[in-house]
Amino acid sequence: MSTSQVSGFNTQVSAPGPFGGPAGPTVRAVHDQFHGDLLEVSMGPQHPSTHGVFRMVVTLDGEQIVKLKPVFGYLHRNHEKIAENTSYLGSMPYTDRLDYLCSMSTNWAYALAVEKLDGQPVPDRAQYLRIIMAELTRLLNHSCLVGFLFNDLGTSFTPLLYAFREREKILDLFESLSGSRMMCNYQRFGGCRVDPSPEWLEAARRLAENYPRFLDEYEAMLTGNEIMLARTQGIGRLNSTHAINAGLTGPVLRASGVDYDVRKIDGYGVYPRFDFRVPLGAHGDTYDRYMMRILEMRESVKILSQAFRDLPAGPIMDPKAKLRGFRPKAGEAYGRIESPKGELGFYLISDGSPNPYRYRVRPPSLINLTLLEEMCLGHTVADAVVILGSIDIVLGEVDR
Amino acid sequence: MEMSDPAVTPAPFPAAGNITDAEREELRRHGILLTSLEELYNWGRSNSIWPLQFGLACCAIEMIAAATARFDIARFGAEIFRPSPRQADLMIVSGTVTKKMAPQVVRLWNQMPEPKYCIAMGACAISGGPFKQGYNVLKGIDRFIPVDIYIPGCPPRPEALLHGLIQLQAQIKGEKLTGPDAARHTRPEEPSEFPVPEYGAHDLEPPHNPDVWSPPAALDKP
């Protein structure tokens, strides 16, 4: 804990008062009497609301944050280095553990990069299955995120219980298909690993059909909640210029009003065949980032219903695909997808050997985290926790 | 308590353990419950284990799932996840322990009051798991702190965590408070705090705590 004297405190500035209104002279006078020391607080790595082993060193003036230094690396598991010593297929299970809430979409990003590297075609049915898995993952991730967000707001677990109820339903589907709840290891270069049965598809279709009911229930309880509005509207504002300059992607960027969705821009897979809209925020505050997730889930449900309707018959693997002893030709490739957290990319350099020469992950969580200080300055510690929750980080991806 | 003169040593008090189960059952049927303080104490402790709210990696999500409605760890009295180590009885090491994180894990363990227990949840906490070859991954948290229960899996299902918890409860119920095989926390000579490793030039220093863990004998030979 270190202290230092505040200097140059301008008493003439009419800063907004604690509840948004203009500060009266009484407030300033009291504040000046108690002017003094800055307090440095270390939050984490063991902290109930830092979403894993993340540490923030915040410098406080009273309760206001004047400086925030994120510290990470507590979960650096050498993913990239291990992948450079493993075969291409051998890295697939590791990608599950990168973003451990959304293993299916992380698998897809990696498979996409390898397919680009080798010019591997993917059959139509597999493309549709990938979209089904990716959108189910988006539902799962965003449900959990809003649950955790309300936990950070101080609701003490209850919304999380509802979110995890839905998560369990999706995990049951994943488990019956791939054999594992969280670490699905489902995508392959040139297709998918297992073909779902008609019963599975029917169950998944029913789940997607019923999902808006859960969202309605959830929103009825929480979206218009007065405390929720007071705690999130106007908090953690981020303008679009800053967000673009820092390379932010995903719902955090779109909440600031920038129309950037890799599904629309790249049109990877068969996304151009789908009719869906990209929700955009206007204020870039925590509330917009929360609404982005809810609206995206509603769009995901639309995509899912189209995917189940149009799912073609056919093989799920390209017959010429080679998994074992896979040696792509020399070259480099960057495959990217719109993961629930943002643009997730894999950059691979191949020298023709069975291992990648260089393997690099572009983690959306880490890059979205870079503007945390920007968002938190001038807010209280309790708000910083909520802002961090609204960015949606997963430490497996941040530290890799 | 030592009695030097055998003449004044009283006859052993007829403890609840000295009567047969059939006799005890007969008494219970008449509304008389016989038990020992030790049994009562262990019964109470084993049914209110408060874990430390401390997630490291993927397994932490399954730990949270175990606390939610479907698996409901509250059925076993362990739903009160404490954010402070001072209030916790159980540390669930849920996920990969890296060399940067290991000192914090040991420090948290030191801050927990006795009696305390440790569950190593998942392959990473047991041995480093899939990331064992990584340069920054600790090859098992049992190198620094004593682990009571190991739960394999990557990640283990929430049911597996519940099973591990039941095993821990069974262990607590069998603990003795006195005598030569008394539980670890009742013996004053047993350490309650362990040296916190430091991140040195190349590795953690020391790389393991020799009081808790030593390399397998086969590896000692040149």
Side-chain angles (χ1 to χ4, degrees):
Chain A
M1 196 182 289
S2 77
T3 57
S4 64
Q5 198 72 25
V6 186
S7 56
F9 215 90
N10 187 356
T11 51
Q12 299 309 311
V13 174
S14 71
F19 299 105
T26 345
V27 178
R28 299 306 303 176
V30 170
H31 192 275
D32 286 346
Q33 263 179 15
F34 287 98
H35 83 285
D37 298 341
L38 295 182
L39 185 67
E40 199 171 88
V41 179
S42 169
M43 292 174 74
Q46 188 263 333
H47 190 274
S49 60
T50 52
H51 297 256
V53 282
F54 176 65
R55 178 165 167 236
M56 298 190 274
V57 182
V58 286
T59 312
L60 300 174
D61 174 20
E63 216 187 334
Q64 278 196 343
I65 296 173
V66 292
K67 196 173 156 214
L68 186 147
K69 192 174 140 224
V71 183
F72 31 70
Y74 289 100
L75 195 58
H76 176 52
R77 300 193 279 197
N78 333 117
H79 174 69
E80 290 174 2
K81 204 70 202 165
I82 290 175
E84 281 162 22
N85 297 316
T86 318
S87 67
Y88 281 88
L89 183 61
S91 293
M92 190 62 91
Y94 284 100
T95 63
D96 288 335
R97 283 141 185 96
L98 202 59
D99 178 352
Y100 37 77
L101 280 167
C102 330
S103 60
M104 287 279 196
S105 32
T106 326
N107 284 173
W108 190 5
Y110 178 57
L112 200 70
V114 178
E115 281 155 12
K116 264 194 182 172
L117 192 64
D118 205 43
Q120 172 79 55
V122 180
D124 242 21
R125 186 177 171 83
Q127 295 280 26
Y128 273 83
L129 287 176
R130 283 179 175 187
I131 286 183
I132 292 174
M133 300 313 160
E135 295 304 324
L136 282 175
T137 306
R138 200 180 307 279
L139 290 180
L140 184 157
N141 179 72
H142 286 356
S143 309
C144 288
L145 170 96
V146 288
F148 283 123
L149 184 66
F150 280 102
N151 225 13
D152 293 342
L153 277 167
T155 53
S156 185
F157 225 52
T158 310
L160 193 68
L161 289 176
Y162 285 84
F164 266 65
R165 184 188 68 190
E166 299 305 308
R167 175 182 181 262
E168 290 295 335
K169 288 180 192 166
I170 298 174
L171 287 193
D172 278 352
L173 287 175
F174 284 175
E175 188 184 11
S176 66
L177 186 65
S178 72
S180 177
R181 278 160 56 86
M182 281 173 74
M183 307 301 171
C184 299
N185 188 13
Y186 180 67
Q187 320 282 5
R188 289 287 181 269
F189 326 132
C192 302
R193 189 157 58 90
V194 223
D195 201 359
S197 62
E199 296 80 41
W200 190 93
L201 288 169
E202 178 56 24
R205 194 190 60 74
R206 237 181 300 122
L207 182 135
E209 205 175 77
N210 289 331
Y211 217 79
R213 281 176 56 199
F214 157 69
L215 291 177
D216 291 342
E217 181 191 10
Y218 210 77
E219 279 209 89
M221 280 195 293
L222 301 168
T223 299
N225 185 303
E226 203 174 322
I227 299 170
M228 147 88 180
L229 297 182
R231 289 288 309 276
T232 57
Q233 284 188 337
I235 303 290
R237 238 181 227 175
L238 186 65
N239 68 34
S240 52
T241 325
H242 258 105
I244 293 171
N245 287 347
L248 263 59
T249 47
V252 181
L253 176 68
R254 290 194 288 275
S256 296
V258 183
D259 187 5
Y260 180 85
D261 188 321
V262 183
R263 289 177 292 179
K264 290 282 190 195
I265 284 169
D266 265 17
Y268 63 93
V270 287
Y271 269 117
R273 296 185 201 170
F274 286 80
D275 172 34
F276 66 99
R277 299 193 301 166
V278 178
L280 289 181
H283 307 98
D285 55 4
T286 308
Y287 181 75
D288 276 15
R289 287 194 280 276
Y290 159 74
M291 277 315 288
M292 253 346 75
R293 269 56 182 240
I294 299 280
L295 294 173
E296 272 189 21
M297 279 196 269
R298 295 196 187 274
E299 292 301 316
S300 287
V301 171
K302 273 206 268 179
I303 297 174
L304 279 170
S305 70
Q306 292 169 49
F308 288 123
R309 190 190 64 207
D310 300 340
L311 180 68
I316 54 160
M317 273 298 275
D318 187 57
K320 287 195 193 119
K322 196 180 169 203
L323 295 176
R324 291 186 194 286
F326 175 77
R327 297 169 85 102
K329 41 188 181 289
E332 53 187 270
Y334 178 64
R336 59 176 187 172
I337 65 157
E338 180 72 25
S339 96
K341 296 180 170 65
E343 177 188 325
L344 172 67
F346 282 82
Y347 178 60
L348 301 170
I349 299 181
S350 160
D351 55 358
S353 65
N355 312 335
Y357 173 75
R358 178 75 174 97
Y359 174 106
R360 152 94 184 142
V361 188
R362 185 216 183 270
S365 304
L366 171 66
I367 293 165
N368 291 352
L369 200 55
T370 50
L371 279 192
L372 180 65
E373 185 178 14
E374 196 83 32
M375 296 185 214
C376 290
L377 284 186
H379 294 297
T380 58
V381 183
D383 288 334
V385 166
V386 182
I387 291 167
L388 180 71
S390 76
I391 298 177
D392 190 10
I393 57 164
V394 151
L395 264 295
E397 200 177 64
V398 172
D399 295 339
R400 306 191 297 291
Chain B
M1 192 163 59
E2 287 199 19
M3 295 285 179
S4 51
D5 189 359
V8 284
T9 306
F13 188 78
N18 290 3
I19 63 170
T20 65
D21 281 352
E23 286 167 339
R24 203 199 281 204
E25 188 61 19
E26 180 64 30
L27 283 168
R28 196 187 62 77
R29 222 173 286 132
H30 291 94
I32 299 167
L33 190 67
L34 273 193
T35 186
S36 65
L37 184 63
E38 187 177 85
E39 261 177 64
L40 192 66
Y41 177 68
N42 287 342
W43 171 81
R45 274 193 319 131
S46 66
N47 287 310
S48 64
I49 304 172
W50 290 6
L52 179 63
Q53 186 180 11
F54 173 51
L56 282 171
C58 332
C59 292
I61 306 291
E62 289 295 64
M63 186 174 79
I64 298 168
T68 55
R70 187 181 194 179
F71 301 101
D72 197 11
I73 205 169
R75 292 176 292 161
F76 306 96
E79 82 280 20
I80 308 176
F81 282 86
R82 302 314 299 182
S84 163
R86 302 283 184 205
Q87 303 166 345
D89 308 313
L90 167 65
M91 179 189 245
I92 303 176
V93 184
S94 55
T96 319
V97 187
T98 60
K99 287 177 185 167
K100 188 171 180 178
M101 194 63 203
Q104 335 290 340
V105 177
V106 179
R107 191 167 293 133
L108 284 168
W109 174 255
N110 287 347
Q111 286 172 354
M112 283 166 61
E114 289 281 4
K116 56 189 173 185
Y117 303 90
C118 178
I119 290 183
M121 180 184 184
C124 290
I126 295 173
S127 69
F131 299 96
K132 187 164 186 159
Q133 51 179 310
Y135 50 84
N136 192 32
V137 176
L138 188 68
K139 288 148 190 69
I141 191 60
D142 55 358
R143 293 181 179 217
F144 286 108
I145 58 176
V147 175
D148 294 285
I149 305 284
Y150 296 86
I151 307 174
C154 188
R157 295 178 57 92
E159 290 98 324
L161 179 59
L162 295 182
H163 181 71
L165 185 70
I166 294 168
Q167 295 295 311
L168 182 66
Q169 287 181 334
Q171 179 192 321
I172 293 175
K173 278 181 184 146
E175 274 182 357
K176 298 270 180 290
L177 297 181
T178 50
D181 51 351
R184 194 180 61 84
H185 67 268
T186 60
R187 295 201 297 269
E189 75 276 10
E190 287 283 338
S192 168
E193 297 198 358
F194 293 85
V196 179
E198 288 212 9
Y199 200 74
H202 302 291
D203 199 351
L204 288 174
E205 283 165 8
H208 61 87
N209 179 358
D211 293 340
V212 183
W213 187 86
S214 54
L219 295 179
D220 276 345
K221 288 170 196 159

